[in-house]
Structure formats: structure tokens, C-alpha cells
Amino acid sequence: MTTILYRLPEEKVVHELHSTQVEQIPSLDLLGQRQGYAFVPFDVRGKSPALLYLPDEEHAWMTPNRFSSRHVEYTSDEPRRRQLYSDEFARCLEQLQSGAVDKIVLSRTLRLHMDDTLSVDDRRNLFIVACHRYPHSYVALIDDTDSAWLIATPEVLLEEKEGSLRTMALAATMSIEEGAHLRPSQWSSKNRKEQQIVAEYIASRLTALGIDFAPSAVHTKIAGQLVHLCTDFSMNIDDNIGRIIAALHPTPAVCGLPTERAHRLITEIESHDRSYYAGFSGPILLDTGTHLFVTLRCMHLEGATARLYAGGGLLADSDVESEWVETQRKLKTMLNVLQ
């Protein structure tokens, strides 16, 4: 049996699902035809299947005001990851400077070896800790007993909100100390260009579907100790949300542009399998409605091992040191849950 916990941004209510039935989704445009909880990988043609968990039961409870934050001791493989990242960065930069792609998102992993195996109760407690530490993010735990994914992400792929559908172009990253006080126009040209690429892509995909949409002004969005540039897009409720999902995933925020070429380069250059990192998850047509979020800040828990993921968008003028620091900041979202 799979247990799924999720809490929507700015809310206190936790929704708990128990599922003994799971379906593989052969095509994303079929999403929205059945109720359930979607868990979809970055590469829908890769090793990890796109899943729809069908709930046997569903109930809700309030996030506890008190929780025990257990300090988890661990060692990591961080030192050897630095050189590997530099090598993969160099290959990406070669493609960017040759004009093969305009943007590519390079990700990396961090493997933690913990002193103790985390029990089901331990993982559930980590979810509650994440709810308290990241009130503005979507927090979820997909727990199959043998392994689990913990997610705390700020990025909407597609959700119902106030009678309309909403998506967003979220890209560019600074620490709160660096960027929270700045207007979007004061961000670096690299950051503004990175976010603009995503916004223009989303606008073009929605236009190609014949969907009328209203974009917001570019604004900053806080996620944990980071801040990003964001454009919100709102549109009327569509009878076939699957076609919108299929058109948007993966966006240049997690892949690159042109999408197909960037996707192919990612699979060739990255030494790890992204699995469900940079995919998306969330309820579809359940009591809470449809709320799908991109799986950004996350970790995969198996026994006494945790694998964390982080990435960043690269342009032709990107600098390897600053990009490495950005991934370290993003990894802290999950590392802080273990403290």
C-alpha cells in the first residue's frame, strides 16, 4: 500500500491518501480523465513510469503545532560531485556557446548515508517538519514503505485556483539576502533572460493550443531561503487539462530550449537518472481539485540512504562557480529538514 501526504501552499490542512491501486499513464494527455494522485517523472519515455495512484481512502487533518525535529547524522559524497559537475557543466557550455541550445538545465545529485534507517514514522515526521519550515511551498510525501519521495517545491505546473487554471514561469535564483529587496528589473541580465525564456515558452505553448491567458507582471517569489523571478498565467478552466499538461511538461525551467534538443543533451550529459526529480506530482480532480507542482526540491529515501537533487538553468555566459553555489543553496531545502 502507498501512503501519500500533501499540503498545499499557505494552508494548514494535510490531505492523506491510501492507495492499493496504481495505474501507469501511457500518455500525459490522458491525465484528467480519472481522479487520483499523479506522480510523473522528468522523462516520461525513460525508466521511471508515469503513475496515477487511485485512492482507496482519503482524509484530512491539521498540521500539528508541535513536532519533534530529529537530527539525522549522515555522511555525503559531496567532494567527488564537484569535479563531476564541472565536467558536465563544460559539456553544456560547449553546446550553449555553439548555439546548439539557448538554455539547458544541468542538475546534480547528493547522496547521503545516514547512521540509521529511517522508519515510516521517521519519514512522516520529516514531512511535518517540511510543512513547518516551508509554509509557502507545496509539500508532499509519496511513501511506498520500501522507499519514499519527500518534496517541498514552489513551482506550479497547473492548478485550479479561484475558478480558473493557473501555471507559472519560475526561473532564476538568488538567496533571500541577495534578492528579496530587489525589484525584478534590478536582477542581473542573466537571471532576467533565464526567466524570460521560460515565460515566452509557456505563452507560445498556450497560444498554440488556442487558449486565452492573462500573464501577470514579473514578480519575485520566495521559496525557503531562496527567491526566484516569476510570471503567473491564468486561463479559463479547460475540459481537457491533459492536453495542457502534455504541452507544458517539461518546461524550459527544468529542461531547456529548444526543448527536444535540450532534453536529448541532458540524457547524454548527466551521469545520473533524474527519475521523478523535475517531473511533477499532485492531486487531479480530487476533493481539493487539481494541483500539480513541479518536483524541484526533493529527496528519495531508501533505507539509510537519501538522494537529493538540484539543478540550475545555464546560458552561454554562465559561470561554473556561481552555478555550483546555486545548487548547494537549493540542496539546503532538503538538508534543513534533516537538521
Side-chain angles (χ1 to χ4, degrees), residues 28 76 105 109 148 169 181 200 213 216 276 287 289-290 316 318 324:
L28 294 186
S76 78
V105 177
T109 65
H181 64 287
E200 290 177 348
F213 60 90
S216 72
Y276 292 96
D287 292 345
T290 296
S318 292
W324 172 259

Side-chain angles (χ1 to χ4, degrees), residues 275-293:
S275 187
Y276 292 96
Y277 165 71
F280 62 89
S281 77
I284 294 183
L285 304 176
L286 293 178
D287 292 345
T288 53
T290 296
H291 301 273
L292 301 175
F293 287 78

Side-chain angles (χ1 to χ4, degrees), residues 160-200:
E160 296 177 44
K161 192 124 179 170
E162 299 174 351
S164 64
L165 287 175
R166 182 174 78 109
T167 186
M168 65 172 55
L170 187 79
T173 305
M174 293 180 74
S175 68
I176 283 184
E177 293 77 16
E178 293 173 325
H181 64 287
L182 298 178
R183 297 190 301 273
S185 61
Q186 295 175 306
W187 284 48
S188 70
S189 58
K190 185 266 181 186
N191 275 315
R192 286 184 280 114
K193 182 179 179 182
E194 183 184 343
Q195 195 270 340
Q196 182 183 6
I197 286 173
V198 181
E200 290 177 348

